[in-house]
C-alpha cells in the first residue's frame, strides 16, 4: 500500500486538502495529515482539522509522496517552514512523488526542484514558478516526472484522481472516479 504525506498549515484551502485526503483514502492509499503544529489547524474558511501527526513525528523516508495544498495564508506558512522545504527536497531527491496545488507549487519552487520542469499554479502566480526555473503551463493538472501540480480549488478532484492513479494505479483511480462522479451524470 502506497503512503502519502499531506502537509497541513494554518490557512489551508479546505476543498483542496479534504479532496486530496478523501480521494486517496478511497483509493486505498495510507494518508497521513501532518500539521505544522500538533494542534487543531484552522483553514482559510474556518474549517478545523486535527492533524494525524505533527510534522516533527514523521520522516519523509516513510512515504511514497508528499503533497502541499494551497490556500492563503496556508501556502505562505508552508513555504516559510524549513521542515517542509527540507522534506520536499528529500522526497524529490529520492524520486518520490512531490505534488502541490493552487499556490502550493511556490513551496516546490522555493525548494529548488522545479528547474526545467513543466508545472502549473494558481492563475496569476506564474512568476513564482519561473523564479525557481519552472516552465508554467495552463493545464488543470501537469505531470513532469515525479512532480504533479494543479491550479486551484476547482481542479482539486482531477488533481486528487491523478495522485490516486500514480499511487494506486489507473484502474483504482478510474473506479474512484466512477463512484464519486456517478451521480453528477444524472443531473
Amino acid at each position: 500500500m502506497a503512503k502519502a504525506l499531506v502537509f497541513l498549515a494554518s490557512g489551508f484551502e479546505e476543498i483542496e486538502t479534504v479532496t486530496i485526503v478523501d480521494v486517496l483514502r478511497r483509493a486505498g492509499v495510507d494518508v497521513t495529515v501532518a500539521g505544522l503544529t500538533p494542534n487543531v489547524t484552522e483553514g482559510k474558511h474556518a474549517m478545523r482539522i486535527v492533524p494525524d501527526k505533527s510534522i516533527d513525528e514523521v520522516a519523509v523516508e516513510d512515504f511514497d509522496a508528499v503533497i502541499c495544498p494551497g490556500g492563503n495564508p496556508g501556502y505562505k506558512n508552508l513555504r516559510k517552514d524549513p521542515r517542509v522545504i527540507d522534506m520536499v527536497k528529500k522526497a524529490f531527491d529520492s524520486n518520490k512523488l512531490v505534488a502541490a496545488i493552487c499556490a502550493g507549487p511556490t513551496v516546490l519552487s522555493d525548494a529548488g526542484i522545479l528547474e526545467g520542469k513543466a508545472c502549473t499554479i494558481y492563475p496569476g502566480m506564474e512568476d513564482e514558478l519561473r523564479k525557481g526555473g519552472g516552465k508554467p503551463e495552463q493545464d488543470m493538472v501537469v505531470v513532469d516526472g515525479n512532480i504533479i501540480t494543479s491550479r486551484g480549488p476547482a481542479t482539486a478532484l482531477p488533481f486528487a484522481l491523478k495522485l490516486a492513479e500514480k499511487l494506486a494505479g489507473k484502474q483504482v483511480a478510474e473506479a474512484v472516479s466512477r463512484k464519486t462522479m456517478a451521480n453528477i451524470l444524472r443531473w
Side-chain angles (χ1 to χ4, degrees):
M1 175 188 300
K3 296 175 82 175
L5 179 65
V6 177
F7 296 116
L8 186 68
S10 179
F12 64 91
E13 174 54 57
E14 290 90 341
I15 291 173
E16 296 161 3
T17 305
V18 172
T19 301
I20 292 163
V21 174
D22 181 86
V23 167
L24 289 179
R25 287 184 177 164
R26 287 174 191 251
V29 175
D30 181 3
V31 179
T32 299
V33 178
L36 300 190
T37 69
N39 308 320
V40 171
T41 303
E42 189 168 306
K44 179 179 179 181
H45 299 85
M47 179 186 284
R48 293 184 177 122
I49 294 181
V50 178
D52 298 315
K53 294 186 176 188
S54 162
I55 192 172
D56 294 322
E57 298 174 300
V58 296
V60 74
E61 296 80 15
D62 296 332
F63 296 91
D64 302 297
V66 296
I67 304 163
C68 299
N72 188 5
Y75 85 96
K76 292 174 183 173
N77 292 325
L78 290 177
R79 78 190 298 195
K80 71 182 180 185
D81 193 305
R83 299 169 300 177
V84 174
I85 299 296
D86 183 57
M87 287 181 153
V88 166
K89 285 180 187 177
K90 283 181 180 175
F92 178 77
D93 290 343
S94 299
N95 206 33
K96 295 175 185 287
L97 191 64
V98 179
I101 185 170
C102 193
T106 60
V107 178
L108 311 188
S109 184
D110 290 354
I113 66 168
L114 292 182
E115 186 64 43
K117 298 285 187 180
C119 48
T120 195
I121 195 166
Y122 190 80
M125 295 184 71
E126 293 80 7
D127 284 346
E128 291 284 345
L129 299 177
R130 289 184 192 96
K131 286 180 193 175
K135 300 185 305 188
E137 293 189 3
Q138 301 302 310
D139 295 336
M140 285 194 308
V141 179
V142 176
V143 179
D144 190 338
N146 62 326
I147 296 177
I148 301 177
T149 52
S150 191
R151 296 183 57 96
T155 66
L157 188 55
F159 176 67
L161 288 167
K162 181 55 75 175
L163 292 171
E165 178 184 323
K166 295 293 185 182
L167 293 168
K170 188 172 182 123
Q171 287 182 324
V172 172
E174 287 174 352
V176 171
S177 177
R178 279 192 304 277
K179 288 178 184 174
T180 57
M181 298 188 11
N183 290 330
I184 292 173
L185 300 176
R186 293 187 213 152
W187 285 8

